[in-house]
Amino acid sequence: GSLAVALTLAVEGSGQFRGGTGDGTNPAPITPTPDRTSADLPLATQAIQSTQAASPPATPPDERAVEPTGGTGPIVCLDPGHGGKDLGKTIYTAEGEVIVTESELVLAQALDLRDRLEAQGLTVVLTRTEDELVNASGEDVNGDGEAGEEGASTELDDLQARINVCNEAGADLLVSLHINGSENEALRGYEAWYTEGRPFSDDSARITELIHDELRNHITASGYEATSRGWADDSLLFPGDGPGTFEHLVLTGPSVAGYIEGSAMPGVTAETLFLSNDDDAEYLQTPAGHDAIVTAYESAILEYFDLPAE
C-alpha cells in the first residue's frame, strides 16, 4: 500500500516496502507490507509492531566485517530483513509478550543458508549476523542529513547500509529474506519480487522465478499446502497514483540522487508465507518449515549459478 507523502519510500519485506519521508518529518522506521490477492492486485499496508526492548551495543556501519566467507565461487549477499527494535511481523500473546518475530526467523534462515552455500563452494556475505539493525548506530549512512539514534536507524540509512555491504563485497547476487504479514489473517502463501528496468533485470527476474518455484516445490514436498501468490516486478507495488520519488523497492532498485546509492547486482526480495496467518505461522516455526524454505533458497541459488548440488 502507499503512503501519500511528498516522498514515497519503497522498502523491502513485511515491512520495509515503503514508508517514511526524506524531509525529516518522519525519520523513525515505518515498515508496512503489501498485501496482494490472487484475484486482483490491490494493495494494503500494515505497520510493523515495535518493541521497547533495549538494543545491543551498536556497531558503526564502517566498522562491520563485510569480507565474504566461504569458497571461491560466486559471491551471494544474503539480507535477513529487519533486526533489533525493528521486529518485522510479530506474534504476541494476549498479554503482549513476544512469541516469535520475522526478524529472528529470517536470521535463522540466512545463517543456515550461508552454511549450506559455503559447503557448495559459494562465497557468502550477510548484511547482519545478529539481532540488530545493520545501521544500529543510527548514522546518516546515505548522506541526506537525516540521522537516527543509537539502536534506531532511519529507514533509508539502514537500507543504504545493507546495500553498501553487498556492493562493497562485490556480490554477484542479492537475496533479501522476509516473511509476510497482514491485518487480513486469511491471506497466506509465498511471493517474490524484483526490479524491472535495470541492466541486470533479466537475471533478477530469473532468480525471482527460481525462488518462487523452489518454494512451491519444497514446501509442497514437506507436506504443507501453501498458496502461491506469484512472482512479479515491483511495478505492481507502485501503481503511480501519487508523487513518489521512489518507484521501486529500495534494495533492488536504482540510485535516487540525494537519497540512495543503488545496489550493483541482480536481486530479489522473497516473502515466504504469512506470520499473520495461523496455519502459515505454525508451519514457519517447525523444523520442517525452516528446512523447506532454506532448501528452496539453496536450490534456486545453485540453479541460478548453474551449479550442481553436492
Side-chain angles (χ1 to χ4, degrees), residues 87 90-102 104-105 275 281 285:
L87 304 179
T90 304
I91 298 178
Y92 294 94
T93 66
E95 292 73 30
E97 297 180 355
V98 172
I99 297 175
V100 65
T101 70
E102 175 186 0
E104 65 179 327
L105 288 176
L275 262 182
Q285 296 175 75

Side-chain angles (χ1 to χ4, degrees), residues 18-71:
R18 53 167 90 182
T21 67
D23 57 8
T25 60
N26 190 9
I30 300 177
T31 52
T33 191
D35 304 321
R36 184 162 57 90
T37 68
S38 58
D40 52 27
L41 295 172
L43 303 179
T45 61
Q46 174 171 331
I48 65 163
Q49 300 170 348
S50 62
T51 177
Q52 301 300 316
S55 297
T59 304
D62 57 1
E63 294 181 12
R64 294 178 180 277
V66 297
E67 288 298 320
T69 60

Side-chain angles (χ1 to χ4, degrees), residues 202-214:
D202 286 350
D203 289 330
S204 294
R206 181 166 174 261
I207 185 61
T208 303
E209 181 179 16
L210 285 170
I211 286 177
H212 168 271
D213 290 353
E214 291 299 327

Side-chain angles (χ1 to χ4, degrees), residues 143-228:
D144 65 356
E146 298 295 331
E149 58 187 21
E150 193 83 359
S153 174
T154 69
E155 205 166 29
L156 274 180
D157 286 329
D158 198 62
L159 289 168
Q160 186 66 72
R162 294 170 191 263
I163 292 170
N164 289 351
V165 170
C166 300
N167 285 350
E168 291 168 14
D172 300 296
L173 179 66
L174 164 60
V175 179
S176 190
L177 291 73
H178 286 267
I179 296 169
N180 230 328
S182 172
E183 292 179 347
N184 180 356
E185 296 179 358
L187 290 181
R188 55 185 298 190
Y190 51 91
E191 61 192 56
W193 301 92
Y194 74 99
T195 298
E196 189 56 85
R198 306 204 67 192
F200 37 73
S201 288
D202 286 350
D203 289 330
S204 294
R206 181 166 174 261
I207 185 61
T208 303
E209 181 179 16
L210 285 170
I211 286 177
H212 168 271
D213 290 353
E214 291 299 327
L215 284 169
R216 177 193 61 211
N217 295 341
H218 290 282
I219 291 175
T220 300
S222 74
Y224 182 65
E225 295 184 8
T227 301
S228 166

Side-chain angles (χ1 to χ4, degrees), residues 68-76 117-118 120-124 169-172 305 307:
T69 60
T72 58
I75 302 173
V76 180
L117 294 177
E118 289 180 350
Q120 300 285 351
L122 278 77
T123 308
V124 181
D172 300 296
F305 288 114
L307 297 172

Side-chain angles (χ1 to χ4, degrees), residues 9-20 29-34 46-48 79-83 86-89 102-103 106 128 133-134 153-160 162 176-179 237-238 248-252 269 271:
L9 164 65
V11 276
E12 94 278 23
S14 83
Q16 294 176 285
F17 266 103
R18 53 167 90 182
I30 300 177
T31 52
T33 191
Q46 174 171 331
I48 65 163
D79 172 51
H82 310 280
D86 179 1
L87 304 179
K89 180 59 186 176
E102 175 186 0
S103 61
V106 296
R128 68 181 180 97
L133 290 170
V134 179
S153 174
T154 69
E155 205 166 29
L156 274 180
D157 286 329
D158 198 62
L159 289 168
Q160 186 66 72
R162 294 170 191 263
S176 190
L177 291 73
H178 286 267
I179 296 169
L237 300 172
F238 305 91
H248 300 282
L249 302 179
V250 172
L251 275 182
T252 56
T269 296
E271 296 274 4

Side-chain angles (χ1 to χ4, degrees), residues 118-143:
E118 289 180 350
Q120 300 285 351
L122 278 77
T123 308
V124 181
V125 61
L126 273 72
T127 58
R128 68 181 180 97
T129 58
E130 299 177 1
D131 185 20
E132 61 179 19
L133 290 170
V134 179
N135 182 38
S137 58
E139 294 184 17
D140 177 18
V141 181
N142 71 335

